[in-house]
């Protein structure tokens, strides 16, 4: 593209040069032609004077003049007539000439007042004079010199009554006068041409600029567009390559560990009389592998969530929700999660929360949680020893809001000063060699930054390379109630709106131990077109001894709900033919249906922002995003199954 721009400017320069040369050539030819024309006009003017003078004379009288007539009345009359021209017209000399029989031209009358030629003195011969002798008026093409100076002369014959040339009237114009006339007239002509040339050049330049400028602009824009597209393409390729690696890593772990579970299980199955110690060892191995599978699954899910979040942010499709939430609960949950992660790496987790801060705030708790989780997870991820800490303070504002400040510090690897500008860029991962074993997409901080921009918040970083980093976030949130965090009962149950499907290390442990309750008489309908999903729910809740029925379509679910009384219905959304929402409405609308009033929980992979609110607005009893967690599922069942059927552990 650069070459093209170069080429087009060359072409434009060439066109302009040709235009200039052509204009100059045109002007030169015009000036040359103008010079000939001006010369002719001057000569014509000289001739006109000569012709006028000759026309004022009586040819017979002039022809009859002899030397002896000098001073006679006839002579004087002729003299007076010519004197009028001498005195009134811009000429040097005027005189009459006669051609003698021998072809000589002589003066017959000279009107010069200082040194007039005498009658009979010979006249300087020129071709123009000879032509006048032949009866044709003529002007000298070249100047000639005589004793009076250098001249151009115009000659006009005077005819007698018989039509013969009786004499010639000559008018002399000095060569200086002639050249002066030519020069001055040429000067004004040349100036006019130069003005025309200049104007046409200016017009041409303006025209070429106005046509070329948009063209050049277009080319520049195209070039920039190309560069943008190329760099976007490179970033996309890098991202895809990285993504492919990031996705394969957990899948590899899941498949590998699953293979180990299968091998271990087959081996145990093959043993005839397995002793208790071997059985326990084998079980422990299987539990270990299963834990790894679960971890990898969570990593994969976090990755997918990041990618989805990022693509939504990029497409401008993320809407922040405004709902009341408990700051105390939010911080409690985050603290629990990070404490476990820090402990796994032998890191200390220090929390310093100003407990006088108001607890009931209004804002998007999910996104606030996401921002803090991203920063705290990074702090743990990029720290090998020492501690990770979270300090929360706030300042009340007049507007009924509190400006919260979250400071996440670590004693980790730190960030080089020169890398800090790249930190919040898309797909930017610093020190790839050093961090190659750490999972990440380079999306966490860019998501954090964009979310904070949307919330009118800020994020800044201070770091000492090799010593640790400090990320500071500020967000302004509305205060709903003035109760301080400290006044709350500790260990309050988490608010449902800030539930998340990831970060469930604690829940995982409870999953493995299993069993919050038993409800052997409760009956639940699971509706999902994918049998594996139904099986996952059934297995996760196996120990509850709940009776499960399965429906693999909306239509089946309606029929079954009409006939059987279910204590709870778990309804998938995206199903062929009839989606979950329609099936739900039809169940509710079935007059006298056994389960028309049963609680129906929406269980869906539709986890975009606002999905929960949308489904609750449809009338669903509750909402849970897939993939489901055993512990959360169990709590959900406990909440909606009839109390008399639930036996808590
Ligand atoms: P990633 O998924 O790679 O962690 P992030 O966007 O969260 O992506 O972070 C971008 C990069 O910034 C990381 O790859 C890492 O190099 C650097 N980084 C982020 N947080 C920290 C931290 N607390 N200490 C050191 N480096 C960090």
């Amino acid at each position: 593209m650069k070459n093209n721009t170069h080429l087009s400017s060359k072409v434009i320069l060439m066109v302009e040069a040709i235009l200039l040369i052509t204009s100059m050539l045109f002007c030169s030819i015009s000036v040359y032609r103008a010079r000939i024309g001006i010369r002719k006009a001057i000569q014509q003017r000289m001739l006109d004077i000569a012709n006028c003078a000759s026309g004022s004379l009586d040819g017979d009288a002039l022809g009859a003049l002899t030397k002896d007539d000098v001073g006679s009345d006839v002579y004087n009359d002729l003299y007076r007539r010519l004197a009028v021209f001498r005195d009134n017209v811009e000429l040097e000399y005027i005189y009459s000439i006669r051609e003698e029989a021998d072809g000589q031209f002589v003066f017959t009358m000279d009107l010069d007042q200082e040194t007039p030629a005498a009658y009979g003195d010979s006249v300087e011969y020129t071709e123009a004079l000879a032509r006048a002798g032949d009866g044709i008026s003529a002007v000298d093409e070249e100047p000639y010199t005589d004793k009076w100076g250098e001249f151009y002369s115009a000659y006009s014959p005077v005819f007698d009554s018989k039509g013969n040339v009786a004499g010639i009237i000559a008018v002399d114009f000095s060569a200086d006068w002639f050249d002066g006339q030519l020069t001055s007239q040429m000067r004004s002509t040349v100036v006019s041409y130069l003005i025309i040339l200049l104007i046409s050049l200016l017009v041409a330049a303006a025209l070429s600029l106005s046509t070329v400028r948009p063209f050049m602009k277009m080319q520049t824009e195209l070039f920039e567009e190309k560069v943008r597209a190329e760099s976007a393409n490179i970033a996309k390729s890098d991202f895809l390559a990285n993504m492919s690696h990031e996705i394969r890593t957990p899948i590899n772990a899941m498949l590998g560990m699953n293979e180990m579970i299968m091998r271990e299980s087959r081996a145990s199955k093959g043993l005839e009389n397995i002793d208790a110690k071997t059985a326990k060892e084998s079980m422990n191995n299987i539990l270990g592998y299963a834990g790894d599978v679960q971890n990898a699954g969570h990593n994969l899910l976090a990755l997918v969530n990041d990618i989805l979040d990022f693509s939504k942010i990029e497409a401008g499709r993320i809407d922040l929700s405004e709902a009341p939430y408990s700051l105390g609960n939010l911080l409690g949950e985050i603290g629990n999660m990070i404490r476990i992660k820090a402990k796994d790496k032998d890191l200390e987790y220090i929390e310093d929360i100003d407990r006088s801060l108001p607890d009931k705030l209004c804002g998007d708790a999910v996104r606030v949680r996401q921002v803090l989780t991203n920063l705290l997870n990074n702090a743990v991820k990029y720290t090998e020893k020492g501690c990770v800490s979270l300090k929360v303070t706030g300042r009340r504002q007049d507007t009924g809001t509190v400006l919260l400040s979250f400071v996440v510090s670590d004693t980790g690897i730190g960030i080089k000063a020169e890398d800090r500008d790249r930190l919040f860029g898309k797909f930017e991962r610093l020190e790839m060699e050093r961090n190659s074993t750490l999972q990440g997409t380079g999306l966490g901080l860019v998501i954090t930054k964009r979310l904070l921009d949307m919330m009118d918040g800020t994020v800044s970083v201070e770091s000492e390379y090799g010593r640790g980093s400090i990320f500071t976030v500020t967000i302004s949130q509305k205060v709903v109630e003035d109760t301080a965090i400290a006044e709350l009962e500790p260990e309050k149950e988490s608010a449902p709106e800030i539930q998340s499907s990831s970060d469930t290390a604690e829940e995982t442990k409870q999953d493995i131990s299993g069993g919050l309750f038993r409800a052997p008489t409760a009956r639940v309908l699971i509706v999902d077109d994918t049998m594996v999903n139904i099986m996952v729910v059934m297995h996760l809740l196996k120990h509850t001894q709940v009776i499960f029925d399965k429906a693999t379509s909306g239509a089946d679910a309606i029929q079954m709900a009409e006939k059987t009384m279910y204590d709870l219905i778990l309804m998938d959304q995206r199903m062929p033919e009839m989606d979950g929402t329609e099936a739900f409405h039809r169940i509710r609308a079935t007059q006298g249906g056994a389960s028309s009033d049963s609680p129906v929980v929406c269980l869906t992979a539709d986890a975009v922002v606002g999905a929960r609110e949308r489904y609750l607005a449809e009338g669903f009893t509750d909402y849970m995003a897939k993939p489901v967690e055993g512990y959360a599922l169990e709590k959900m069942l406990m909440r909606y199954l009839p109390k008399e059927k639930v036996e808590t552990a």
Side-chain angles (χ1 to χ4, degrees):
M1 185 58 80
K2 223 173 197 169
N3 283 345
N4 276 353
T5 316
H6 201 62
L7 198 73
S8 50
S9 28
K10 263 188 175 170
V11 170
I12 290 158
L13 272 179
M14 261 171 66
V15 169
E16 285 191 343
I18 290 172
L19 208 72
L20 191 72
I21 291 170
T22 321
S23 312
M24 280 167 68
L25 217 67
F26 168 77
C27 282
S28 309
I29 293 171
S30 303
V31 165
Y32 175 72
R33 289 173 69 98
R35 189 186 155 83
I36 294 174
I38 289 168
R39 203 182 151 89
K40 280 222 153 59
I42 298 170
Q43 285 176 332
Q44 187 58 50
R45 207 168 116 212
M46 291 163 64
L47 263 185
D48 287 345
I49 295 169
N51 285 337
C52 263
S54 68
S56 68
L57 299 184
D58 176 355
D60 289 333
L62 186 70
L65 268 190
T66 61
K67 195 174 182 180
D68 299 335
D69 291 329
V70 175
S72 70
D73 288 346
V74 178
Y75 181 90
N76 287 342
D77 180 54
L78 291 170
Y79 190 95
R80 259 196 314 275
R81 285 171 192 271
L82 290 182
V84 173
F85 289 91
R86 179 197 64 194
D87 298 337
N88 296 298
V89 182
E90 176 195 13
L91 50 77
E92 201 81 17
Y93 298 115
I94 183 166
Y95 47 94
S96 66
I97 305 167
R98 172 182 297 158
E99 186 176 3
E100 298 288 22
D102 57 0
Q104 284 276 320
F105 291 95
V106 295
F107 285 93
T108 50
M109 186 184 296
D110 184 2
L111 279 87
D112 180 19
Q113 289 167 314
E114 288 168 12
T115 51
Y119 188 100
D121 283 355
S122 64
V123 177
E124 193 70 30
Y125 176 85
T126 68
E127 278 180 22
L129 177 58
R131 289 191 69 194
D134 294 339
I136 301 165
S137 301
V139 182
D140 289 324
E141 290 300 333
E142 298 296 330
Y144 68 89
T145 310
D146 60 16
K147 65 174 182 177
W148 287 278
E150 197 182 8
F151 300 102
Y152 286 91
S153 299
Y155 306 95
S156 176
V158 183
F159 295 96
D160 61 17
S161 49
K162 292 190 188 121
N164 296 322
V165 176
I168 298 163
I169 298 302
V171 282
D172 288 357
F173 293 85
S174 76
D176 287 346
W177 174 88
F178 190 90
D179 292 341
Q181 287 288 312
L182 197 61
T183 312
S184 78
Q185 289 195 38
M186 273 308 289
R187 192 179 296 137
S188 51
T189 308
V190 168
V191 168
S192 317
Y193 274 117
L194 278 180
I195 290 171
I196 291 171
L197 180 69
L198 204 74
I199 290 173
S200 55
L201 276 179
L202 283 176
V203 169
L207 273 178
S208 75
L209 267 184
S210 66
T211 46
V212 163
R213 206 179 266 152
F215 173 66
M216 298 277 277
K217 197 170 158 234
M218 199 174 79
Q219 275 204 328
T220 317
E221 280 170 3
L222 277 175
F223 177 65
E224 284 168 2
E225 188 67 24
K226 191 173 167 237
V227 169
R228 263 201 299 278
E230 271 170 6
S231 62
N233 209 24
I234 291 169
K236 199 168 130 196
S237 308
D238 286 355
F239 173 68
L240 285 178
N242 189 28
M243 243 352 79
S244 149
H245 172 261
E246 294 302 319
I247 290 172
R248 276 164 186 279
T249 308
I251 290 180
N252 181 50
M254 286 158 98
L255 292 178
M257 289 302 142
N258 195 50
E259 173 77 30
M260 293 308 292
I261 293 172
M262 285 159 82
R263 274 192 217 169
E264 193 79 40
S265 310
R266 269 192 227 112
S268 314
K269 205 172 143 196
L271 292 176
E272 285 291 309
N273 297 315
I274 182 168
D275 61 279
K277 191 175 162 238
T278 320
K280 198 172 169 195
E281 229 168 61
S282 172
M283 226 41 230
N284 280 340
N285 285 344
I286 290 174
L287 270 176
Y289 300 143
D292 290 342
V293 170
Q294 195 171 37
N295 271 342
H298 283 310
N299 284 341
L300 194 56
L301 182 63
L303 183 74
V304 170
N305 283 341
D306 267 3
I307 296 169
L308 286 180
D309 267 349
F310 181 68
S311 68
K312 273 185 270 170
I313 289 176
E314 283 282 272
R317 283 197 292 110
I318 266 202
D319 294 321
L320 293 179
S321 65
E322 280 265 307
Y325 70 96
S326 154
L327 179 64
N329 284 346
L330 177 88
L331 295 175
E333 283 179 6
I334 295 174
N336 286 344
M337 177 196 77
I338 293 300
R339 196 168 289 111
I340 292 166
K341 290 194 173 180
K343 206 169 156 213
D344 283 350
K345 283 185 80 175
D346 277 335
L347 299 174
E348 195 185 347
Y349 176 60
I350 305 166
E351 242 178 26
D352 175 7
I353 296 170
D354 176 356
R355 305 210 69 90
S356 69
L357 286 173
D359 180 60
K360 259 264 184 282
L361 303 180
C362 184
D364 194 327
V366 174
R367 297 305 176 184
V368 175
R369 176 192 168 109
Q370 189 174 359
V371 164
L372 297 179
T373 312
N374 272 348
L375 296 179
L376 283 162
N377 276 339
N378 275 352
V380 173
K381 183 157 62 167
Y382 298 105
T383 304
E384 278 319 310
K385 58 176 192 294
C387 66
V388 167
S389 68
L390 170 68
K391 182 177 164 107
V392 187
T393 53
R395 190 157 36 86
R396 298 290 187 106
Q397 289 166 316
D398 299 340
T399 47
T401 54
V402 58
L403 184 67
L404 297 171
S405 154
F406 303 92
V407 181
V408 175
S409 327
D410 64 58
T411 53
I413 60 173
I415 298 156
K416 289 182 187 157
E418 64 265 30
D419 284 341
R420 260 169 242 168
D421 288 343
R422 294 200 287 132
L423 204 57
F424 297 98
K426 324 178 193 175
F427 315 125
E428 291 288 4
R429 303 202 67 208
L430 315 175
E431 302 195 76
M432 283 297 278
E433 289 101 79
R434 184 172 175 180
N435 297 335
S436 64
T437 53
L438 299 175
Q439 290 221 333
T441 53
L443 288 178
L445 286 183
V446 64
I447 292 174
T448 301
K449 172 87 174 72
R450 302 270 181 99
L451 287 176
L452 283 167
D453 287 346
M454 289 171 73
M455 293 193 267
D456 288 331
T458 62
V459 58
S460 57
V461 60
E462 292 162 55
S463 184
E464 200 178 325
Y465 188 59
R467 306 288 301 263
S469 314
I470 305 173
F471 285 81
T472 306
V473 164
T474 63
I475 317 171
S476 173
Q477 296 279 273
K478 278 194 205 115
V479 179
V480 178
E481 253 176 50
D482 242 344
T483 331
I485 298 177
E487 293 168 40
L488 293 174
E489 288 172 31
E491 295 301 308
K492 199 175 159 188
E493 200 186 324
S494 62
E497 67 265 29
I498 53 172
Q499 158 212 328
S500 157
S501 51
S502 57
D503 309 321
T504 50
E506 191 190 31
E507 291 167 5
T508 304
K509 294 202 167 149
Q510 285 172 3
D511 270 350
I512 295 165
S513 63
L516 286 175
F517 72 96
R518 280 177 358 106
T521 56
R523 187 175 278 274
V524 172
L525 174 65
I526 311 175
V527 189
D528 203 309
D529 60 319
T530 311
M531 189 47 89
V532 129
N533 288 342
I534 296 182
M535 297 316 289
V536 167
V537 174
M538 284 175 63
H539 285 310
L540 287 174
L541 296 172
K542 199 164 118 195
H543 52 270
T544 63
Q545 297 174 10
V546 168
I547 305 157
F548 288 111
D549 282 355
K550 300 169 268 200
T552 50
S553 71
D556 284 357
I558 296 164
Q559 270 189 8
M560 293 167 80
E562 192 181 357
K563 291 192 197 114
T564 314
M565 157 58 199
Y566 289 107
D567 297 307
L568 180 66
I569 300 174
L570 300 176
M571 178 73 78
D572 177 35
Q573 282 305 316
R574 201 175 290 184
M575 292 184 288
E577 284 159 29
M578 188 191 297
D579 68 17
T581 304
E582 192 182 341
F584 161 68
H585 285 308
R586 293 221 196 165
I587 290 172
R588 283 277 186 268
T590 310
Q591 292 287 327
S595 295
S596 294
D597 299 323
S598 299
V600 182
V601 173
C602 169
L603 205 65
T604 174
D606 180 5
V608 295
V609 180
R612 153 184 289 278
E613 290 72 20
R614 213 174 53 244
Y615 290 114
L616 293 185
E618 287 286 347
F620 281 97
T621 314
D622 210 334
Y623 161 93
M624 182 173 269
K626 287 180 191 170
V628 289
E629 298 287 348
Y631 179 63
L633 204 53
E634 240 181 288
K635 283 209 292 187
M636 177 78 82
L637 255 69
M638 249 175 99
R639 189 175 303 151
Y640 295 110
L641 290 181
K643 296 281 167 282
E644 63 280 7
K645 293 189 178 175
V646 176
E647 301 164 16
T648 43

